[in-house]
Amino acid sequence: MSECSQSKDRQDRPDGRDDRFRSGFTAIVGRPNVGKSTLMNHLIGQKVAIMSDKPQTTRNKIHGVYTSDRAQIVFLDTPGIHKPTSKLGDFMNRSADSALAEVDVILFLVDVSEELGGGDRFIIEKLKKTKTPVFLVMNKIDKVHPDALLPAIAKYRELYDFAEVVPISALNGNNVGTLLEQIIRYLPEGPMYYPADQVTDHPEQFIVAELIREKILQLTYEEVPHSIAVATEEMRVQENGVVYIRAVIYVERESQKGIIIGKHGAMLREVGAAARQDIEALLGSRIWLDLWVKVKKDWRNQERVLRDFGFRLND
């Protein structure tokens, strides 16, 4: 009998623990900047989604894979649901919406240090249209007094009948293990979709581009961060074992190009040095990072360009 067949035939143990292998998909949704990418990375144990204190950092659904001896969970870190101001914004909202229809569990992540607002109510109205179990995940509990938790939970429960409520700190990892256990309880018995050592289904070129974009988000201000896109155009191992990577940073205006490059190329060098550390950790080898900056006017409103950058607009 195969190992897979054995797992299906097991019965629950006398102590109540279910030994059947479970697998499924879990979407992480919420307003921009509530910690979705931070939670994803902590759950996976490795950086697969970029993090920034600026809202609307995530643009595509990022798939991260958690595997243990009991279960495999494919997490979808969705773009923050917001009022769009461009075709890119429309795509981001549709991407988040589509995730709700293709998963076994939905994690509605909220920032417990902030009051329940219009953005949260807007998402809750969307959640009412799905039959998928929804967890209320109260993030950033490290920022509030414990006495503030119960009143905050009560406000959300007045609006929606959540399957579970789990307070956590995604940054510090508080109660994240409990969250994992609760998710597994709701997953169906099923196979392992990905190899046990795989943490994302995105190609390395995509993650490399995202890591470069993360550093720009961290190092630039005002209108620049959301006006950039990064494309990995070449990636190859050289004879000396160093991985050569050529990536292009696209901006919408010449003035933004000047900001990204910086005086005598200082900003571009700083971006490259910061990104190089994360990329070398990702690939496990030394890299040569060759960065270029190009202007592509109003790219966020051009469907052809968005498709070229990998945004699947019909999803």
Side-chain angles (χ1 to χ4, degrees):
M1 183 182 292
S2 70
E3 183 176 348
C4 181
S5 298
Q6 287 176 344
S7 68
K8 289 184 178 181
D9 291 341
R10 289 175 185 155
Q11 300 298 315
D12 293 357
R13 301 189 329 184
D15 61 8
R17 176 169 168 171
D18 186 347
D19 272 349
R20 294 170 296 178
F21 191 86
R22 297 178 178 273
S23 60
F25 296 80
T26 298
I28 307 173
V29 302
R31 290 186 294 104
N33 212 29
V34 293
K36 295 185 297 296
S37 295
T38 303
L39 176 59
M40 162 80 85
N41 292 335
H42 196 98
L43 289 164
I44 303 307
Q46 184 173 329
K47 180 182 283 190
V48 295
I50 67 174
M51 298 181 293
S52 170
D53 59 1
K54 298 177 176 66
Q56 299 160 35
T57 298
T58 299
R59 289 174 174 169
N60 279 288
K61 286 181 293 188
I62 309 298
H63 292 197
V65 184
Y66 165 87
T67 306
S68 70
D69 60 346
R70 297 174 51 217
Q72 184 172 83
I73 312 170
V74 182
F75 288 99
L76 284 69
D77 175 19
T78 62
I81 299 173
H82 63 288
K83 185 177 181 179
T85 58
S86 64
K87 288 186 182 297
L88 175 60
D90 288 334
F91 161 78
M92 290 163 62
N93 273 356
R94 290 200 304 274
S95 181
D97 288 346
S98 68
L100 304 182
E102 57 192 42
V103 296
D104 301 288
V105 175
I106 298 170
L107 305 183
F108 175 36
L109 195 68
V110 303
D111 183 345
V112 73
S113 68
E114 297 182 358
E115 288 292 325
L116 188 157
D120 297 306
R121 295 176 187 275
F122 177 71
I123 296 170
I124 288 172
E125 289 305 310
K126 289 179 176 287
L127 295 176
K128 289 178 179 178
K129 299 175 183 178
T130 178
K131 295 181 179 179
T132 303
V134 179
F135 291 12
L136 175 63
V137 183
M138 312 288 286
N139 191 25
K140 306 188 183 181
I141 58 174
D142 51 305
K143 290 188 174 184
V144 300
H145 192 278
D147 291 345
L149 275 177
L150 288 179
I153 292 171
K155 289 181 180 179
Y156 281 94
R157 279 200 177 277
E158 287 177 3
L159 301 176
Y160 190 88
D161 184 19
F162 294 97
E164 303 288 345
V165 177
V166 187
I168 68 162
S169 169
L171 184 62
N172 299 328
N174 297 354
N175 224 27
V176 172
T178 299
L179 176 61
L180 277 170
E181 288 298 317
Q182 293 285 63
I183 294 170
I184 291 171
R185 287 181 54 234
Y186 281 78
L187 296 183
E189 182 180 356
M192 190 178 290
Y193 294 103
Y194 296 96
D197 60 350
Q198 186 169 337
V199 295
T200 183
D201 65 349
H202 282 284
E204 290 177 337
Q205 288 90 334
F206 173 86
I207 302 297
V208 164
E210 285 288 272
L211 291 174
I212 295 168
R213 189 166 68 89
E214 176 186 61
K215 305 312 173 188
I216 299 171
L217 285 166
Q218 294 172 350
L219 293 169
T220 60
Y221 305 94
E222 297 176 356
E223 83 282 3
V224 175
H226 299 302
S227 300
I228 61 165
V230 181
T232 305
E233 298 203 339
E234 185 177 357
M235 191 169 168
R236 56 182 168 81
V237 180
Q238 302 179 131
E239 291 183 359
N240 60 1
V242 175
V243 179
Y244 171 79
I245 299 171
R246 178 166 56 85
V248 178
I249 301 165
Y250 290 95
V251 295
E252 292 185 316
R253 296 194 294 274
E254 286 290 341
S255 61
Q256 295 166 346
K257 179 178 179 179
I259 293 171
I260 297 297
I261 294 174
K263 188 175 182 180
H264 305 303
M267 176 60 76
L268 195 60
R269 286 195 298 274
E270 189 173 358
V271 169
R276 188 177 300 113
Q277 296 182 26
D278 280 352
I279 296 171
E280 288 185 340
L282 172 74
L283 302 180
S285 61
R286 292 173 56 219
I287 69 164
W288 177 270
L289 186 57
D290 188 9
L291 294 179
W292 296 78
V293 185
K294 296 182 180 180
V295 176
K296 194 174 285 287
K297 293 183 178 180
D298 197 32
W299 67 263
R300 285 179 291 178
N301 283 304
Q302 298 183 47
E303 289 196 9
R304 181 184 59 79
V305 175
L306 289 171
R307 293 179 191 280
D308 289 344
F309 286 159
F311 297 109
R312 299 168 61 184
L313 302 183
N314 293 326
D315 282 3

